[in-house]
Amino acid sequence: MAQHSIQQSLNSLNRIVEQFSSNARPVSNAPDARELQQQLDVSLADQGAPYTVLEQMANQYLTLNPDVSSAKFNKLLYSGLNPPALLGDWVTSIGNATMHTYQVSPVATLMELELVRQWNKLVGFERGEGVMVSGGSQANLIAMLLARHKACPQAKTKGMQKTLVAYVSDQAHYSSLKAVNVLGIGSDNLIAVASDQQGRIIPTALEQAIEQSLILGHTPFYIGLTAGTTVLGGYDPVAPCAEISRRYDLWLHIDGAWGAPILFSKKHRHLLADSHLADSVAWDAHKLMNVPLTAAVILTRQPGLLKAACSGGGTDYLFHSDENAAFNLGERSIQCGRRADALKVWMSWKAMGNQGFADKIDYLQQQRADFVAQIQQLDDFELLHQPSFLNILFRYLPTTAISESAHKALSIAICAELKHRDVAYTDYASCKGKSAIRLILANADISAAQLQQLLLQCQQIARQLIATGDYNG
Ligand SMILES: *Cc1c(COP(=O)(O)O)cnc(C)c1O
């Protein structure tokens, strides 16, 4: 039998990290899935293998994975490596605490409670509560569960007996679709309310949608706003929607998975200044706070609701009333075993301080403003919106007009070539019937020069593609 020890793991890790940090590599170089299947042997077998085999695979794993630590990784809503958080992540695995009870996660529990306190302070929930979750998707699910529990407390025991209706904007993240599925609301009862050109929900359209449901005899129960929409980075207007939610007695949730950290910045927090008017807020630490996946939280303005909606079972063997019961976070959660994500977030926050996050956001917002200004000076580029946050949707504008499908093909081809030239790993997206390149600024290692180069390369690539017609338009 192969012998394995912690020391061997650590030695391997040292060598792997050394290689990872010293080797220059492209931001993305994995072949297509079928090709990789041919190249890479991930098979498992009856006989165990020595550490050399594990180490080799770990190196390949990191080489073939997109380099999300690179400032060239602009494809998704996260980018960059966070050494203090990594330390926390590694220690989390050694300690292997599980968050249901204080007895098996004493320090992590106190850390999570402190994090929740700090997050609530930023949001403006004075008596707020919260629990960490696997991501924004679960946070949005829990928010809708809280709303359902408020509108229809008997649903917890008797199931759904009314047609409840939820409202989000047409720019909301697809996790609300998952939530209505899981919670038995049904996707027909999730209304996508119209948004404006900046991707912000239109309050009058929201009110009309609610009135329409009432005419049908349905029961409106939930408004899900977004702070930093996934595609356009739009911030829904909280105050007018809060007024509507009060008038109709609906739960008001803010999905801040991407954009809530703006609250760290004195300069830019006005985008989400009315967050305290919500009933709940979702916040991802694994996006703009740059903590390794996964780390997120659901916050509620009123204490006690999480337990009321989520608790059930486990009291006969797990949640002992004589063992620090008031500190058991498990009854606020829908999970049993839950990783101690608090430690890596705590380590990161302790190392950065609130000011560190504020500085990072201010820096990225400045880069965004400068990049947008550059695009506006060029005749052959077009912005799909006026960005207020860290998503930039822009596209090439050939001298002779091209069809919408050609625009899409061109954006895809530009992204592919940017990746091929190892300039950047960007993405494309469609919004309101138009396709464009979606550039995300989440990594504060990105420099003004790098962004300037990116735009120049886009221009050069696009001109070449147009000249040769080489993009399947
Ligand atoms: C990313 C994102 C989500 C989903 O969060 P996960 O952590 O990936 O589950 C939800 N809402 C918005 C606005 C997002 O950008």
Side-chain angles (χ1 to χ4, degrees):
M1 202 179 96
Q3 291 297 312
H4 308 121
S5 71
I6 292 185
Q7 196 52 51
Q8 275 178 302
S9 285
L10 207 53
N11 294 343
S12 285
L13 184 61
N14 261 318
R15 286 191 292 268
I16 290 160
V17 170
E18 182 69 27
Q19 187 165 340
F20 180 74
S21 319
S22 58
N23 279 7
R25 61 191 171 281
V27 62
S28 169
N29 64 351
D32 284 340
R34 302 257 175 243
E35 210 179 308
L36 187 57
Q37 270 182 326
Q38 300 300 317
Q39 284 174 21
L40 193 71
D41 180 12
V42 293
S43 65
L44 298 170
D46 288 338
Q47 297 305 315
Y51 257 77
T52 48
V53 173
L54 309 187
E55 196 175 317
Q56 249 171 15
M57 183 51 91
N59 281 324
Q60 277 185 297
Y61 179 103
L62 289 176
T63 308
L64 289 163
N65 207 59
D67 186 1
V68 301
S69 75
S70 164
K72 295 176 189 168
F73 187 78
N74 315 119
K75 181 179 171 69
L76 297 175
L77 304 177
Y78 74 100
S79 177
L81 209 61
N82 181 338
L86 257 190
L87 173 61
D89 208 37
W90 291 333
V91 172
T92 302
S93 289
I94 298 178
N96 206 20
T98 179
M99 298 305 297
H100 46 41
T101 54
Y102 171 86
Q103 299 304 113
V104 285
S105 58
V107 181
T109 297
L110 298 190
M111 284 177 168
E112 181 164 328
L113 288 168
E114 170 63 5
L115 288 170
V116 165
R117 235 186 326 273
Q118 293 294 336
W119 272 315
N120 274 319
K121 207 163 124 188
L122 288 163
V123 165
F125 290 166
E126 282 172 15
R127 300 168 54 234
E129 212 174 58
V131 70
M132 290 187 73
V133 289
S134 60
S137 298
Q138 194 195 134
N140 292 338
L141 172 76
I142 301 298
M144 203 179 280
L145 174 65
L146 296 173
R148 194 191 76 176
H149 193 70
K150 180 191 163 192
C152 206
Q154 67 277 19
K156 190 175 178 185
T157 47
K158 306 221 178 303
M160 294 289 293
Q161 285 156 335
K162 289 188 211 172
T163 301
L164 296 183
V165 185
Y167 309 84
V168 295
S169 87
D170 57 14
Q171 297 297 304
H173 187 263
Y174 69 85
S175 50
S176 49
L177 203 57
K178 308 263 182 194
V180 289
N181 176 8
V182 174
L183 293 169
I185 308 291
S187 56
D188 287 354
N189 299 312
L190 177 70
I191 309 294
V193 178
S195 61
D196 65 16
Q197 279 306 311
Q198 313 310 324
R200 299 171 300 204
I201 197 168
I202 300 170
T204 50
L206 171 64
E207 187 163 1
Q208 278 164 14
I210 294 168
E211 285 293 337
Q212 189 59 35
S213 301
L214 291 172
I215 289 168
L216 293 170
H218 295 165
T219 308
F221 80 112
Y222 172 93
I223 299 170
L225 302 181
T226 310
T229 57
T230 312
V231 176
L232 291 176
Y235 282 78
D236 285 337
V238 176
C241 297
E243 195 276 318
I244 293 170
S245 79
R246 270 195 300 273
R247 194 142 33 86
Y248 292 94
D249 194 24
L250 312 186
W251 187 272
L252 186 70
H253 173 64
I254 299 175
D255 174 2
W258 167 227
I262 198 88
L263 290 169
F264 279 112
S265 163
K266 289 189 175 58
K267 195 166 169 199
H268 298 284
R269 74 186 327 276
H270 62 88
L271 287 168
L272 190 49
D274 299 312
S275 52
H276 61 283
L277 298 175
D279 293 295
S280 57
V281 171
W283 185 317
D284 270 358
H286 61 224
K287 285 182 175 168
L288 202 47
M289 286 176 82
N290 191 24
V291 170
L293 284 113
T294 64
V297 71
I298 176 70
L299 303 166
T300 65
R301 183 162 45 79
Q302 254 185 286
L305 300 180
L306 282 165
K307 185 171 174 183
C310 297
S311 67
T315 48
D316 43 356
Y317 81 103
L318 186 63
F319 300 114
H320 303 304
S321 58
D322 60 331
E323 289 182 342
N324 300 294
F327 288 80
N328 290 342
L329 296 178
E331 289 186 300
R332 297 181 186 181
S333 174
I334 57 167
Q335 293 172 250
C336 174
R338 179 160 68 86
R339 196 167 191 266
D341 297 325
L343 179 59
K344 62 190 174 188
V345 184
W346 189 94
M347 290 265 177
S348 172
W349 203 325
K350 191 74 176 171
M352 296 272 284
N354 291 24
Q355 191 59 47
F357 289 115
D359 291 346
K360 172 183 170 171
I361 287 160
D362 290 350
Y363 173 78
L364 287 171
Q365 284 280 64
Q366 187 60 49
Q367 296 306 316
R368 183 264 302 157
D370 294 347
F371 188 78
V372 165
Q374 279 185 55
I375 291 179
Q376 282 165 335
Q377 279 167 14
L378 298 172
D379 290 335
D380 50 356
F381 280 97
E382 149 182 61
L383 281 161
L384 258 51
H385 60 148
Q386 293 149 16
S388 57
F389 194 44
L390 304 170
N391 313 40
I392 307 165
L393 265 83
F394 67 105
R395 65 183 185 180
Y396 191 70
L397 214 52
T399 36
T400 44
I402 57 173
S403 71
E404 201 40 58
S405 64
H407 263 300
K408 182 171 180 180
L410 183 60
S411 293
I412 291 174
I414 294 171
C415 288
E417 185 60 18
L418 284 172
K419 187 174 90 159
H420 180 70
R421 293 186 183 185
D422 197 32
V423 173
Y425 194 7
T426 50
D427 212 347
Y428 57 90
S430 293
C431 191
K432 298 181 185 287
K434 291 183 171 185
S435 296
I437 298 166
R438 185 184 77 149
L439 178 73
I440 300 295
L441 300 180
N443 188 334
D445 290 339
I446 204 160
S447 67
Q450 189 181 338
L451 282 165
Q452 209 165 10
Q453 185 58 25
L454 193 156
L455 193 54
L456 278 176
Q457 292 274 341
C458 274
Q459 193 175 42
Q460 199 190 67
I461 292 167
R463 284 178 180 167
Q464 210 168 332
L465 287 166
I466 295 287
T468 57
D470 217 6
Y471 61 95
N472 290 323

